[in-house]
Amino acid sequence: MNSVKDNLKGRDLLSLHDFTPGEIQFILDYAADLKQKQKNGEPHELLKGLTLAMIFQKSSTRTRVSFEVGMYQLGGHALYLNANDLQLGRGESIADTGRVLGRYADGIMIRTFAQGDVEELAECASIPVINGLTDLLHPCQILADLLTVQEHKGRLAGLKLAYVGDGNNVCHSLLYGCAKTGMHISVASPEGFLPREEIVATARYDAAATGAEVTVTTDPAEAVSGADVVVTDVWASMGQESEQQARMRVFAPYQVNEQLVAKAASDYIFLHCLPAHRGEEVAAEVIDGPHSVVFDEAENRLHAQKAVLSLLMAK
């Protein structure tokens, strides 16, 4: 255990693909332990006196609040930095920003558009960098999702997860997360909106080591058939608002509704990273129904990220 913990110290979290199955499982188990400590009222100020710089080029509810509250509960401090408040807005490079923040803070979380910006920041900063979301990946969300599945199902390996909708950042990180933990994943997206081929190929490579199966289809019924976990996301992500009407027409057959989830396992659970648009990507009867665990999932952003923060930023 100590060797895994030591190996995580000082690391960046840019993509779940960069972590071994054992490291991901360690993070999830550590998150569960921290969650229990919080429930028991046990102090766990593992980052006392440390500061997390949080760069937001995309707005957020769950990301900002969970990281800020998480740092507070760990005994540290979180500094909110809107992109318009930084010299990034006046043309300072990502590299210089990373070098400067490395002199002030103990870790950086960035929520932005380009994955390349996060990678450049990590390359130049002398402190751990955490990907809070990019257009390509959303690793922190998927750690929370995996923690939620583990809590409700008691395991990850061998389960089937179905993702229905846009082949976006959530979908990409689910492909990595499932492949690394031995969960079978079946993705259903319309033509033109499938997950990136290189992401799928990498996930299949990772899955070969864990026994997971990776399936990509255009048929939602095929994807959901027998699924233990059903997941969807909004049809138009941040920055795609101008495409909303066109996307609604394309994605209409991909709504997660009662007719579709009837094809899942009888004890399936439903996940959505939120915010959700009832009546669009998901029917109210599903997201507000007895199989939905979306608010457990939202809470687990806090616990999963506390594990990431305390493991990566530990001195």
Side-chain angles (χ1 to χ4, degrees):
M1 184 181 84
N2 285 335
S3 61
V4 176
K5 190 173 183 180
D6 291 341
N7 195 43
L8 290 169
K9 191 180 299 183
R11 294 265 295 277
D12 302 311
L13 172 55
L14 310 182
S15 167
L16 292 181
H17 172 63
D18 298 333
F19 292 77
T20 68
E23 288 170 342
I24 292 175
Q25 189 59 57
F26 186 88
I27 292 170
L28 296 176
D29 293 342
Y30 202 75
D33 183 58
L34 290 177
K35 183 174 183 177
Q36 191 60 51
K37 280 182 166 60
Q38 180 181 323
K39 301 294 184 188
N40 294 342
E42 298 176 38
H44 47 284
E45 295 187 337
L46 303 172
L47 298 180
K48 192 169 184 177
L50 302 188
T51 299
L52 176 72
M54 305 190 304
I55 302 174
F56 284 86
Q57 293 183 304
K58 283 189 175 185
S59 59
S60 168
T61 298
R62 278 150 292 276
T63 298
R64 178 176 178 180
V65 175
S66 57
F67 270 107
E68 198 159 328
V69 171
M71 280 299 294
Y72 173 79
Q73 292 180 355
L74 291 167
H77 175 68
L79 182 65
Y80 174 78
L81 302 169
N82 185 287
N84 294 328
D85 300 329
L86 295 171
Q87 296 298 332
L88 283 170
R90 297 181 57 216
E92 183 170 35
S93 69
I94 284 282
D96 285 354
T97 299
R99 293 184 181 102
V100 170
L101 290 178
R103 302 294 183 102
Y104 298 146
D106 303 284
I108 301 171
M109 187 284 298
I110 180 169
R111 181 178 169 94
T112 188
F113 295 89
Q115 180 73 16
D117 286 350
V118 178
E119 293 171 357
E120 183 180 1
L121 186 67
E123 185 177 347
C124 297
S126 57
I127 54 179
V129 171
I130 298 168
N131 180 358
L133 173 142
T134 66
D135 288 345
L136 185 69
L137 298 172
H138 199 354
C140 290
Q141 177 63 54
I142 273 50
L143 286 173
D145 292 357
L146 295 173
L147 179 61
T148 306
V149 174
Q150 184 170 278
E151 286 178 344
H152 283 270
K153 293 295 185 180
R155 64 188 175 98
L156 296 174
L159 296 177
K160 178 182 177 180
L161 181 147
Y163 175 88
V164 179
D166 190 16
N168 60 10
N169 49 8
V170 168
C171 176
H172 291 157
S173 285
L174 276 172
L175 282 161
Y176 285 159
C178 289
K180 289 283 187 177
T181 57
M183 289 182 69
H184 309 307
I185 179 169
S186 187
V187 174
S189 303
E191 289 288 355
F193 298 90
L194 294 164
R196 292 195 183 188
E197 291 182 2
E198 66 271 22
I199 300 282
V200 175
T202 302
R204 285 181 170 143
Y205 177 85
D206 290 341
T210 63
E213 296 177 1
V214 176
T215 303
V216 177
T217 179
T218 57
D219 184 355
E222 177 189 346
V224 172
S225 179
D228 302 289
V229 185
V230 178
V231 189
T232 191
D233 193 10
V234 294
W235 290 340
S237 298
M238 198 176 299
Q240 298 172 334
E241 289 81 3
S242 63
E243 305 172 21
Q244 178 71 27
Q245 294 305 313
R247 282 172 170 262
M248 285 184 69
R249 290 190 293 272
V250 172
F251 282 96
Y254 291 79
Q255 183 187 76
V256 177
N257 50 37
E258 288 184 301
Q259 181 180 359
L260 183 61
V261 296
K263 303 179 186 301
S266 60
D267 61 345
Y268 84 95
I269 59 174
F270 174 74
L271 300 178
H272 190 306
C273 64
L274 303 178
H277 299 153
R278 290 164 174 79
E280 292 182 18
E281 74 272 8
V282 61
E285 293 78 11
V286 174
I287 192 170
D288 299 321
H291 295 273
S292 176
V293 294
V294 297
F295 295 108
D296 291 347
E297 176 188 11
E299 178 189 343
N300 281 337
R301 286 291 301 275
L302 172 66
H303 306 299
Q305 288 161 191
K306 282 168 66 177
V308 168
L309 291 166
S310 54
L311 290 168
L312 271 54
M313 290 174 59
K315 297 296 183 182

